[in-house]
Amino acid sequence: MSIGHALLGLLETGPRHGYDLKRVYDERFGQDRPLAYGQVYSTLSRLLRNGLVEESGFEVGGGPERKRYAITDAGVTDVSAWLITPENPQMYLQSALYTKVVLALMSGRDAEEVLDAQRAAHLRSMRELTSRKQGGDLADQLICDHALFHLEADLRWLELTAARLADLARQVTG
Amino acid sequence: MSATALDGDQPTTSDTLLSAMDLRKSFGHTTALDRAGITVARGEIVAIMGPSGSGKSTLLHCLAGLVTPDSGTVLFEGQDLADLSDRARSALRRGEFGFIFQFGQLVPELSCVENVALPLRLAGTRRRVAEARAREWLARLEVEQIADKRPGDVSGGQGQRVAVARALVTAPKVVFADEPTGALDSFSGEQVMRLLVDTAKQTGASLVLVTHEARVAAYSDREVVVRDGRTRQRAEVS
Ligand SMILES: Nc1ncnc2c1ncn2[C@@H]1O[C@H](COP(=O)(O)OP(=O)(O)O)[C@@H](O)[C@H]1O
Ligand SMILES: [Mg+2]
């Protein structure tokens, strides 16, 4: 996730101070990972260097946190391009789970136990997300749903693998 | 971190409402259940998960006294279902159990409110009283506006909410739901689950929820996994 672009996008709604940007970012997008102040200021100075934002007024007696930043035309162009550029679909071909299952089978352990333990852990996380979603607003719901669908995909893989364990065992030990 | 072998089927409280031990059930040459067991505490929501054909529905039917196992025991409030007469078992199902299936459970000739009132009518409640209660339940499930429509004229999600209302209108001690969102899209399915779980919790009813979908099972307090007719005993790392 490009923090720079997210901050630019927030600045498109109007000039803001660094601390203000952090607050809005955390509120909207920082669910489990709020921004560090240092990160906000280093990102802003990079955007400034690249001409994507400009300083737009100080407050008297101000250190860096008193500066206000505004997006430039070049910044707006940059956000527009970023928004319509699709994210890379992530292909998790290096799966720790697959590795564990194969190693369990190769060593003659009960691979089903590996799958069961993982299913239980996934479901625990899904329960937490589900109850968080129920207490939350629409933003919480959408963020939690995104995580829930991804965990569900893992679980479907676990079920499929559980159904094919005997075949897989023959392949990896044969 | 210590690894302890735990029974995967431990209720979250010790107040057991329903339990089954060592259930076996075959249909001809097909073994549907092979030493399956489960425990459900009062007010608890338990998901029965597992792949298609693993025996989830058969387990649910045995728990609800709809199917008699070949061997094994089902206890409801300490009472062995096998010791009850057919008549007493039906009375138990009507009085203490609620049922929700994937679809097709509403009587097409009756309006939605009549469908919800039906279990009360069968128990001898007068029509006006029964329908007033049914309307309250439809409102709780946020579908009061379709009360006078026939099931054929409402959406799948609305129909399932009517089914939830019908299952809960008699204040059952346990609701059995078999893939209640199986025929719905994700969004309607979520709404049905939220309402089902909320109302079950509010009324203190236990819920036994068969599903192969993890997002649905995530509404439960605890899951029991069935594979090849057997409930998995999980080794848990604590
Ligand atoms: N009434 C029945 N007659 C014959 N076979 C049945 C009957 N009910 C279930 N089965 C078989 O028993 C097995 C378990 O079925 P079921 O409990 O419906 O599984 P699930 O609900 O997990 O999909 C399956 O092989 C199924 O075909
Ligand atoms: Mg089934």
Side-chain angles (χ1 to χ4, degrees):
Chain A
M1 162 74 178
S2 164
I3 308 283
H5 284 114
L7 295 187
L8 272 181
L10 290 174
L11 284 176
E12 224 184 334
T13 62
R16 289 177 191 277
H17 295 95
Y19 60 81
D20 195 24
L21 262 180
K22 172 189 154 47
R23 189 184 49 77
V24 178
Y25 178 96
D26 289 350
E27 232 170 70
R28 300 226 173 225
F29 312 122
Q31 317 295 347
D32 342 278
R33 244 186 283 177
L35 288 179
Y37 275 107
Q39 200 179 3
V40 176
Y41 290 112
S42 64
T43 306
L44 282 171
S45 58
R46 177 170 55 77
L47 296 174
L48 197 59
R49 252 195 337 272
N50 296 337
L52 302 177
V53 300
E54 60 195 10
E55 285 166 9
S56 131
F58 289 79
E59 277 168 31
V60 259
E65 69 278 9
R66 293 303 171 98
K67 276 184 206 160
R68 262 192 352 163
Y69 297 86
I71 193 166
T72 62
D73 289 347
V76 173
T77 309
D78 201 56
V79 175
S80 306
W82 173 67
L83 286 177
I84 59 160
T85 307
E87 296 292 310
N88 254 340
Q90 295 191 34
M91 297 183 288
Y92 303 93
L93 294 178
Q94 292 276 331
S95 157
L97 273 179
Y98 173 74
T99 309
K100 281 186 173 178
V101 170
V102 169
L103 287 175
L105 291 172
M106 286 175 71
S107 61
R109 290 186 172 85
D110 184 357
E112 221 165 306
E113 238 172 54
V114 174
L115 297 174
D116 281 348
Q118 193 63 53
R119 180 198 302 102
H122 265 60
L123 270 171
R124 263 198 302 279
S125 297
M126 290 182 76
R127 279 200 183 93
E128 276 170 35
L129 287 163
T130 301
S131 69
R132 191 164 141 190
K133 181 168 94 169
Q134 281 171 292
D137 57 12
L138 183 56
D140 287 321
Q141 287 170 23
L142 290 174
I143 287 163
C144 291
D145 273 333
H146 187 262
L148 279 164
F149 278 109
H150 277 82
L151 291 170
E152 184 187 37
D154 282 351
L155 275 170
R156 289 170 73 163
W157 180 85
L158 290 172
E159 286 315 320
L160 195 69
T161 304
R164 291 169 162 180
L165 268 186
D167 289 343
L168 184 61
R170 267 194 297 281
Q171 279 195 21
V172 301
T173 57
Chain B
M1 208 190 261
S2 73
T4 338
L6 271 185
D7 189 330
D9 176 37
Q10 288 298 320
T12 43
T13 76
S14 55
D15 190 6
T16 299
L17 178 73
L18 180 64
S19 63
M21 284 145 287
D22 224 19
L23 296 183
R24 292 172 199 251
K25 178 71 190 178
S26 295
F27 298 100
H29 293 295
T30 309
T31 303
L33 291 181
D34 179 17
R35 286 165 290 164
I38 188 171
T39 313
V40 180
R42 231 170 260 283
E44 192 185 26
I45 301 180
V46 180
I48 300 178
M49 303 181 69
S52 171
S54 59
K56 303 182 296 296
S57 294
T58 306
L59 176 56
L60 188 86
H61 294 159
C62 288
L63 289 174
L66 295 167
V67 160
T68 308
D70 299 335
S71 65
T73 315
V74 179
L75 300 176
F76 176 75
E77 295 190 313
Q79 166 81 61
D80 191 333
L81 293 193
D83 294 341
L84 296 175
S85 64
D86 285 350
R87 198 194 169 98
R89 234 186 341 262
S90 307
L92 184 68
R93 277 201 302 270
R94 264 205 315 276
E96 315 279 26
F97 298 173
F99 292 92
I100 305 166
F101 300 103
Q102 192 167 335
F103 51 73
Q105 57 213 298
L106 300 175
V107 182
E109 292 80 15
L110 298 180
S111 69
C112 289
V113 69
E114 287 166 341
N115 263 284
V116 176
L118 190 58
L120 295 173
R121 299 279 292 135
L122 291 176
T125 308
R126 285 181 31 237
R127 184 194 177 100
R128 291 227 342 236
V129 177
E131 292 195 0
R133 281 249 287 288
R135 273 180 207 278
E136 282 165 27
W137 269 99
L138 288 172
R140 265 177 103 157
L141 288 148
E142 302 167 9
V143 282
E144 63 269 45
Q145 74 281 7
I146 58 155
D148 298 307
K149 292 191 177 179
R150 299 269 177 94
D153 298 326
V154 307
S155 74
Q158 290 171 331
Q160 284 307 79
R161 296 195 214 180
V162 174
V164 172
R166 196 181 67 171
L168 284 159
V169 74
T170 53
K173 288 185 177 147
V174 54
V175 173
F176 296 98
D178 195 345
E179 308 274 7
T181 63
L184 305 179
D185 62 73
S186 309
F187 186 61
S188 336
E190 295 278 338
Q191 288 178 314
V192 168
M193 280 314 299
R194 175 178 58 79
L195 290 162
L196 171 57
V197 163
D198 281 355
T199 45
K201 288 278 177 198
Q202 284 158 14
T203 59
S206 303
L207 174 63
V208 184
L209 172 68
V210 164
T211 182
H212 67 278
E213 282 185 278
R215 269 178 313 106
V216 173
Y219 283 88
S220 68
D221 300 319
R222 187 165 58 86
E223 78 276 7
V224 170
V225 178
V226 189
R227 183 163 302 136
D228 297 330
R230 209 163 304 170
T231 40
R232 289 282 297 172
Q233 309 287 298
R234 183 171 89 228
E236 193 172 277
V237 181
S238 55

